[in-house]
Amino acid sequence: LVARMSQPSASSISVSSDGKSYVTSGGIGGTFSGSAGYFLRRPTGANGFGAYSTSDQVLANWDGTGKVAIVTGSAGGLGFETARALASKGAEVIVTARDQAKAEAAAEKLRALLPGGAKLTPMAVDLSDLASVHAFAQAFLATRKPLNILINNAGIMALPKYGATKDGIEQQLGVNHCGHFALTNLLLPHIIASAKSSGVEGRIVSVASSAHHMAYPEGVLLDKYNDESRYTHWGAYGRSKLAN
């Protein structure tokens, strides 16, 4: 159920072509209210899409020609489908996974689904390692490609035992939020520059979840980001999604 709810939930930022205007908006399914059952029964959100809208329906009237998108965690699941949908509309998609071999394998699977020359570039980034995040950002910027869309999708969920990233951050918070926070800040100046040069509004989307209601009662607890003594698998996952 939580995995199902994670599909339509997201927060997004629009970057205008003047590089100064940022507009945050709700997710595809609108604002969560009440029980999970209510959320899944709700037919549509304010933007006309709901929990059962497909990626192809959302992008039906969108032209991705000339646009470049990064989708983290695009080797499988929601990220793979997001990458497929964007590429099917003409966008160039940076297909990412924790290592280069997985990213290349995902790109090959996508090419098989998208005959006709899909524009796919496989690259590795490990969101649990901030050094890897920095290396990925530098490698992408070195390509001199514009960046119109950043979709922070990669994530891990409900790990039964406490674990920490290479940087000493509880794993779910580290991967689901902190790694993406760092990546977004490293790429934001380039997204703004791309919007200015093209006149096309940029977009940053962070995949969230209605499971943010499962977060610790005190909230995100950034001052206790690695407190093993109070770890619960759903509390930690909910916190990471609340942070998004």
Side-chain angles (χ1 to χ4, degrees):
L1 179 60
V2 173
R4 181 63 178 163
M5 288 192 294
S6 70
Q7 183 171 1
S9 302
S11 57
S12 65
I13 300 173
S14 298
V15 182
S16 67
S17 58
D18 63 9
K20 297 179 181 179
S21 178
Y22 306 89
V23 181
T24 58
S25 63
I28 291 172
T31 303
F32 179 92
S33 177
S35 68
Y38 170 83
F39 178 82
L40 292 175
R41 288 195 303 270
R42 186 175 181 176
T44 60
N47 55 14
F49 300 111
Y52 296 99
S53 300
T54 68
S55 54
D56 290 324
Q57 289 171 337
V58 172
L59 295 178
N61 298 314
W62 183 74
D63 182 6
T65 304
K67 298 180 178 68
V68 178
I70 292 175
V71 182
T72 67
S74 43
L78 295 175
F80 184 88
E81 172 60 16
T82 300
R84 183 206 64 79
L86 291 169
S88 74
K89 301 296 288 186
E92 178 178 355
V93 179
I94 310 303
V95 179
T96 72
R98 281 174 290 181
D99 62 63
Q100 189 65 24
K102 289 181 180 179
E104 291 176 359
E108 285 304 309
K109 290 180 182 178
L110 287 166
R111 289 190 182 98
L113 293 173
L114 298 167
K119 297 178 181 178
L120 304 166
T121 302
M123 296 182 70
V125 58
D126 183 351
L127 276 300
S128 70
D129 181 356
L130 293 178
S132 174
V133 173
H134 279 260
F136 168 79
Q138 291 172 359
F140 174 77
L141 293 173
T143 68
R144 298 187 179 276
K145 298 177 187 289
L147 181 57
N148 309 103
I149 302 167
L150 171 61
I151 299 183
N152 294 320
N153 164 79
I156 52 179
M157 183 174 73
L159 301 182
K161 294 183 179 180
Y162 174 88
T165 68
K166 292 182 179 180
D167 303 286
I169 304 168
E170 185 277 314
Q171 280 183 302
Q172 294 182 86
L173 182 65
V175 172
N176 299 354
H177 177 70
C178 296
H180 283 124
F181 181 83
L183 180 63
T184 299
N185 279 276
L186 289 167
L187 295 176
L188 183 57
H190 189 55
I191 296 173
I192 293 172
S194 298
K196 285 182 177 180
S197 63
S198 67
V200 177
E201 183 179 83
R203 180 60 62 93
I204 301 168
V205 178
S206 292
V207 176
S209 171
S210 296
H212 72 267
H213 286 277
M214 299 179 181
Y216 301 121
E218 299 89 345
V220 177
L221 292 172
L222 284 178
D223 59 331
K224 298 180 180 179
Y225 60 86
N226 60 354
D227 185 357
E228 183 177 358
S229 66
R230 63 171 299 135
Y231 179 82
T232 65
H233 57 299
W234 284 117
Y237 178 71
R239 170 176 67 174
S240 73
K241 291 303 180 178
L242 178 62
N244 284 349

